Amino acid sequence: MYIRQVAHRDLEPLHGVDLHVFGELAYPYFALRQLIDVHYRHFLVADAGPDLPGLAPELLGYVLAAHAAQAPEAWLLNLGVRPDMRRRGYGRMLFERCLAGLRRDGAGLVRLTVEPGNHAAIRLYESAGFRIQDLQRDYYGPGEHRYCMSVSLDSLRPERHANTVEGR
């Protein structure tokens, strides 16, 4: 398994993973294309095989983050792993690699939202130092509540998020 930056050739399989993981809340195809163009630096994918020319990627998951416009903070926008590939550490590897990149690029604070019933994701985020700040009702529309969580990257040891290796 390889963690790498997203590429345009990943768009179709990425859209499939996004639909499979997030269902009706998945990004439209065109929006994923724009997110690749704009947020390439903090848009990582977990690819099952080596990155070889001519081979279609088999994506296991992805993570997407973005810096805020005029603040030393960033938002983790999405973290998704195919259901058949969960509980193997891929989400944690993507997450930690993303946090390391955000820290390297000057983010001091990272925020995210998570569905209150997604206990596995909440445990992952809390294990990295994130804490629930509040509950935002109807964040994604009626009945789509989300916890808002944040962590100060300045309070974490740098090596905590730098140990994720590319490759196996």
Side-chain angles (χ1 to χ4, degrees):
M1 191 275 299
Y2 295 84
I3 294 177
R4 59 177 174 76
Q5 284 182 306
V6 70
H8 286 117
R9 68 185 178 87
D10 296 322
L11 188 53
E12 191 170 327
L14 178 65
H15 188 244
V17 169
D18 199 46
L19 284 170
H20 202 66
V21 172
F22 296 105
E24 65 182 32
L25 294 178
Y27 288 115
Y29 189 92
F30 77 90
L32 279 173
R33 169 58 198 246
Q34 292 172 331
L35 289 166
I36 290 171
D37 291 342
V38 174
H39 299 293
Y40 173 81
R41 187 166 175 81
H42 298 290
F43 202 150
L44 306 174
V45 295
D47 191 337
D51 195 16
L52 299 174
L55 269 181
E58 182 188 349
L59 300 187
L60 308 176
Y62 77 95
V63 64
L64 168 62
H67 274 272
Q70 295 190 0
E73 70 179 50
W75 277 85
L76 183 76
L77 300 175
N78 266 27
L79 173 64
V81 175
R82 287 184 1 209
D84 62 321
M85 292 291 135
R86 292 181 183 159
R87 305 198 53 78
R88 299 177 190 203
Y90 301 143
R92 180 173 298 280
M93 285 186 271
L94 284 162
F95 180 64
E96 289 181 352
R97 231 354 234 287
C98 185
L99 290 179
L102 290 169
R103 181 186 196 124
R104 191 173 44 252
D105 287 350
L109 181 74
V110 179
R111 298 179 188 277
L112 61 82
T113 63
V114 62
E115 193 269 319
N118 191 343
H119 303 292
I122 292 168
R123 280 192 303 274
L124 172 64
Y125 301 145
E126 287 179 336
S127 76
F130 281 80
R131 296 294 172 252
I132 295 171
Q133 302 303 312
D134 65 350
L135 175 68
Q136 292 284 320
R137 296 196 167 289
D138 303 323
Y139 190 88
Y140 283 128
E144 292 291 339
H145 313 314
R146 293 294 181 269
Y147 283 137
C148 291
M149 300 181 75
S150 65
V151 67
S152 168
L153 294 181
D154 297 333
S155 69
L156 301 178
R157 295 188 320 251
E159 67 273 8
R160 179 172 186 154
H161 300 293
N163 291 334
T164 307
V165 295
E166 185 140 356
R168 296 182 188 255

